[in-house]
């Protein structure tokens, strides 16, 4: 998309949608029988350091979901959420096939791919990152720089 406003509006909508889903999943873990629910579930799945992992994943999804919604530190948060989904894919879902209705990896693959895209392209103009871009250059939503990196010279 060559129109930077439309491009950033699309990124905003996708970023908010992913953020809401991650936030909801983190809150679901948190509300599931307190801390013992996720810890027990992670232990039953064979997650290494189940107690610690359940804590980190729950808070990554809660705080990371909020960060994506507002577009804060998007490349870092999105990269961490991508790694989270890779772990979920291989630890909990890969043996069940693709379909989420069978416990498969359909959802974690889609969430991981969406997070990976945000890690690469950033939060867009409508974000906290864009507001901070003048102070922290790697957070900048400069579309001309993005076109240069993509090989387009306009």
């Amino acid at each position: 998309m060559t129109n930077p406003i439309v491009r950033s509006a699309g990124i905003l909508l996708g970023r908010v949608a992913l953020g809401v889903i991650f936030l909801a999943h983190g809150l679901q873990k948190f509300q599931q029988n307190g801390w013992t629910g996720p810890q027990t579930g992670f232990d039953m799945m064979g997650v290494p350091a189940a107690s610690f992992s359940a804590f980190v994943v729950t808070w990554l999804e809660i705080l990371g979901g909020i960060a994506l919604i507002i577009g804060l530190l998007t490349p870092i948060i999105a990269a961490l959420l991508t790694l989270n989904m890779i772990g979920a894919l291989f630890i909990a879902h890969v043996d069940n096939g693709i379909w989420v209705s069978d416990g498969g990896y359909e959802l974690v693959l889609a969430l991981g791919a969406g997070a990976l895209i945000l890690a690469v392209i950033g939060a867009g103009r409508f974000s906290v990152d864009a507001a901070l871009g003048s102070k922290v250059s790697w957070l900048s939503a400069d579309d001309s720089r993005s076109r240069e990196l993509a090989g387009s010279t306009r």
Side-chain angles (χ1 to χ4, degrees), residues 42-148:
F42 275 44
D43 193 42
M44 288 173 41
M45 289 184 281
V47 175
S51 236
F52 177 74
S53 296
F55 178 83
V56 169
V57 165
T58 299
W59 284 107
L60 173 61
E61 290 178 358
I62 291 171
L63 298 176
I66 293 168
L68 286 185
I69 291 167
I70 64 173
L72 177 64
L73 302 174
T74 302
I76 294 169
I77 298 298
L80 291 172
L81 288 167
T82 300
L83 292 173
N84 178 33
M85 292 297 96
I86 290 170
L89 172 78
F90 288 108
I91 292 171
H93 298 282
V94 76
D95 292 337
N96 299 322
I98 190 167
W99 307 120
V100 72
S101 60
D102 297 329
Y105 56 86
E106 176 181 14
L107 179 62
V108 297
L109 183 61
L111 291 173
L116 177 61
I117 290 168
L118 288 176
V120 172
I121 66 171
R125 287 185 179 190
F126 308 125
S127 65
V128 173
D129 287 353
L132 295 173
S134 62
K135 305 269 188 252
V136 187
S137 63
W138 59 270
L139 292 175
S140 176
D142 181 0
D143 289 312
S144 64
R145 200 173 87 214
S146 298
R147 282 196 300 271
E148 284 176 24

